[in-house]
Every structure is written in structure tokens, then in C-alpha cells.
Amino acid sequence: MIETLASYRHRLGLALLALLLPTCLTAQSTAAISYTLDASASSVSARVPFFGLSSKTARFPRMEGTVSVVPGAPERALVDVTFDAEAIEAPDETTLRRLRGERFFWVERYPTIRFVGRSLTMTSATQGRVTGELTARGVTQPETLDVTFTGDPTEAGSEAVSFSGEMEIDRRQYGMKSYQLIVGNKVKIKLNARMVPN
């Protein structure tokens, strides 16, 4: 009777192990890969048409952020990047003063700009679209960032990955409606970033 009970327990343990092992392996294989943005190797710029003949570009040299990617499930990716609006740079003092002022970024009241991407759709091994929300001047709008990676971000994890991204927004949706006869409404934003695995 004792041997029978021991044998039963042994078989039960093996059965439980067989049931749990695939779950454990799946959980390990789908663990999120986390990155931190390398601010020293990253930059973002915003270019806007000027008088319909040329353009002016502002730059945001200071930022921080994190990226989380799940292998095999890019739709579960999370991108969270914050730009320091107070550190904005412009090609001339007049433009800088206006951009920092109440009619544009109003950095005194809204010192940061934030993009939170909640899903990554890969269109190839190194290209995709990140959908999420951009918050600027206290207004949040849905936006899409087209991205190009230097490698497959869902297969990395042990090495840094760089990417470039572009999106076009309408500044009027963020309460920036001044100087429409001089400054274009469509703003092209470009992001270059280097992600370092945690």
C-alpha cells in the first residue's frame, strides 16, 4: 500500500510537471524586453513651413523614456518618451521667444511634451508603426509614429537598438492657432533614438 501511494504521487508529480513546463517556457519566451532611451544619442526636431516658401526647424535636445517590446507580440509594445519643452532650440531669438510663449508651446505652464505609444505594428523586420497619444500644451491627441529600426527589436535584448521615427501633426489641434498666414499648420516631427537594454 505504501509503495502504491508513493508510485501514485510520483506519477502525479510527473503529470503536473508536464502540464506546467510548456507554460513556464512560454512565459519565458514571451517576457518583455525593456529598454531605456539613451538621451545623449537621441534627438527630436519639429519642422514647419514658413511663408510657404521655406521652413523653420525647432529642436528638443533633452528627453527621457522607456521602450518595452514583447517577442512575438509587437502589438503589446509600450513606448513612453518625454521631451523637455523648456529646452527647445530655434534658429533665431524671435522664433525661440514665440515658440516658448503662450501662443505656441507655452513652456512656462506646460514644460514637457510626451508621446505614449501603445501598440507596434511591424510592416517588415525593421519597419513599423507605433500608434499612441501625443500630449503637448496640455492637449492629448491620437498620433502615429512611422519607425525604422537598425535591427529587429523583438529579437534583440542584449544589445542597443537605434531607430528613427516620423509623424506629421496639425498644430491647431494642440491649441497653436496663431500666425496661420505665416506659419504652416502641418508640423513634421522627426525622432532619432538609441535604446539601451535594461
Side-chain angles (χ1 to χ4, degrees):
M1 180 68 181
I2 295 176
E3 292 180 356
T4 303
L5 180 59
S7 177
Y8 172 76
R9 288 176 175 174
H10 180 68
R11 291 197 307 271
L12 180 61
L14 289 177
L16 289 174
L17 181 62
L19 289 172
L20 293 175
L21 185 58
T23 302
C24 294
L25 292 175
T26 301
Q28 290 180 355
S29 63
T30 58
I33 302 172
S34 298
Y35 299 88
T36 297
L37 200 67
D38 181 359
S40 65
S42 305
S43 63
V44 65
S45 63
R47 181 168 61 87
V48 62
F50 190 69
F51 276 113
L53 301 173
S54 61
S55 63
K56 287 195 176 187
T57 301
R59 303 185 187 282
F60 299 87
R62 295 208 299 257
M63 69 185 75
E64 60 182 14
T66 58
V67 177
S68 177
V69 181
V70 179
E75 70 278 0
R76 293 168 57 190
L78 179 63
V79 179
D80 192 343
V81 183
T82 299
F83 312 110
D84 185 349
E86 292 184 296
I88 188 172
E89 298 175 349
D92 57 78
E93 287 299 324
T94 300
T95 300
L96 179 60
R97 185 174 62 254
R98 288 174 177 170
L99 290 176
R100 291 175 58 87
E102 183 177 344
R103 294 185 175 183
F104 286 91
F105 290 104
W106 202 355
V107 301
E108 183 178 349
R109 175 171 292 188
Y110 307 104
T112 60
I113 300 167
R114 186 183 183 190
F115 176 71
V116 178
R118 305 188 186 279
S119 179
L120 168 63
T121 301
M122 298 298 294
T123 56
S124 72
T126 57
Q127 293 182 313
R129 295 185 180 90
V130 179
T131 56
E133 298 88 35
L134 178 68
T135 301
R137 205 174 177 276
V139 179
T140 299
Q141 295 286 349
E143 301 288 356
T144 300
L145 180 70
D146 294 318
V147 293
T148 300
F149 297 93
T150 56
D152 188 341
T154 65
E155 293 184 356
S158 61
E159 298 180 359
V161 176
S162 296
F163 73 91
S164 59
E166 294 188 11
M167 72 166 63
E168 184 176 82
I169 67 170
D170 188 329
R171 66 184 179 96
R172 294 170 296 184
Q173 294 182 341
Y174 296 89
M176 306 180 198
K177 301 178 181 180
S178 299
Y179 305 107
Q180 293 193 44
L181 296 178
I182 301 174
V183 181
N185 294 315
K186 300 296 184 179
V187 182
K188 291 187 177 181
I189 299 175
K190 290 187 177 183
L191 170 66
N192 291 296
R194 182 174 183 267
M195 305 182 301
V196 180
N198 294 334

